[in-house]
Amino acid sequence: MPEPLTKETVDSKTDPSVSTQWDESTPKAEQFQELYKIADSMKSSLLTTIRPNIGPVSRSMAVAKRVGPDFLYLANIHAQKFEDLKENKTVQITFQDSSTQNWISITGEATTTDNADPRIKQIYSKGVNAWFGDLGDGIHTGMPEDPRMTLIEVKAKYIAYWKTTASSVGFLKEVTQASLTGKVADTGVNRQLFEKDIQEARDSSS
């Protein structure tokens, strides 16, 4: 149900759309499990790097594997994002599901490896070669042994996400009712996970 907007909320300069849905009571273990469920349901993300003299630059990338709160991507070493990462290893990963309104925002640090990383063969899947091409020289084949194929590993440092608690019909009903009554829509839970929480989750999943 929509929540009333109070004078206290306005006077404290609080965003009611955030404070109404903020969730600090759910156990962290449960928060991580629900985070993983949302992330695993969305195979593609936006990976944002910081480009010198430009700023944030994003591109859509398929997640090759999630390992606890961290994410692995297969990528072409010739891509501009590797030049970005030489200058600044801070990245952001975002997911959004337009059908449920669920979203995830992850700030982390990226490390890159060369083609010798054994994890490349472990997480390679059919179809990846479509993004590399085959030169026909037996080397640049788009397969796991292709020297262009490398790994980007993003270790999370801060995670924020929102999980809907309403159906599609319920979401529209809630927003409409809030708009008509002057109340604040309450359609889900907003959560944040800090570095200490993330390290504990990483340790428990290793």
Side-chain angles (χ1 to χ4, degrees), residues 109-123:
E109 184 170 296
T111 56
T112 61
T113 68
D114 59 25
N115 186 250
D117 192 318
R119 293 177 295 177
I120 292 175
K121 289 184 179 180
Q122 295 169 7
I123 65 178

Side-chain angles (χ1 to χ4, degrees), residues 142-203:
M143 303 302 284
E145 298 81 7
D146 188 323
R148 297 172 296 164
M149 192 169 298
T150 52
L151 194 69
I152 298 175
E153 180 177 16
V154 178
K155 287 193 171 292
K157 299 181 74 174
Y158 172 78
I159 300 170
Y161 76 97
W162 186 86
K163 173 182 176 291
T164 184
T165 55
S167 65
S168 298
V169 173
F171 184 94
L172 291 174
K173 182 179 179 181
E174 177 80 6
V175 172
T176 300
Q177 186 176 354
S179 178
L180 293 173
T181 61
K183 295 182 179 180
V184 181
D186 183 1
T187 56
V189 289
N190 201 352
R191 295 165 175 165
Q192 60 180 344
L193 300 161
F194 295 94
E195 199 162 5
K196 179 177 180 294
D197 307 316
I198 294 168
Q199 186 57 54
E200 289 176 354
R202 186 177 291 127
D203 292 341

Side-chain angles (χ1 to χ4, degrees), residues 5 7 10 22 33 42 46 51 53 58 75 91 96 98 103 112 119 133 138 149-150 159 189 196 200:
L5 176 64
K7 186 176 185 301
V10 175
W22 208 247
Q33 288 306 311
M42 295 183 279
L46 285 180
R51 186 160 298 171
N53 303 315
S58 303
V91 299
Q96 183 161 19
S98 60
W103 58 261
T112 61
R119 293 177 295 177
M149 192 169 298
T150 52
I159 300 170
V189 289
K196 179 177 180 294
E200 289 176 354

Side-chain angles (χ1 to χ4, degrees), residues 13-25:
K13 298 181 179 181
T14 299
D15 181 348
S17 67
V18 175
S19 61
T20 298
Q21 302 181 95
W22 208 247
D23 176 19
E24 296 180 330
S25 61

Side-chain angles (χ1 to χ4, degrees), residues 44-115:
S44 292
S45 68
L46 285 180
L47 177 65
T48 302
T49 54
I50 307 299
R51 186 160 298 171
N53 303 315
I54 293 179
V57 177
S58 303
R59 75 285 291 161
S60 178
M61 291 191 68
V63 175
K65 186 177 182 179
R66 177 187 59 76
V67 183
D70 305 318
F71 294 81
L72 301 177
Y73 296 90
L74 292 174
N76 191 321
I77 190 64
H78 296 157
Q80 180 65 40
K81 54 182 163 283
F82 285 91
E83 296 302 315
D84 298 345
L85 293 173
K86 286 180 182 178
E87 299 295 326
N88 191 331
K89 296 187 180 303
T90 297
V91 299
Q92 183 180 45
I93 298 171
T94 53
F95 298 88
Q96 183 161 19
D97 184 342
S98 60
S99 66
T100 63
Q101 307 303 321
N102 291 338
W103 58 261
I104 301 171
S105 176
I106 300 169
T107 301
E109 184 170 296
T111 56
T112 61
T113 68
D114 59 25
N115 186 250

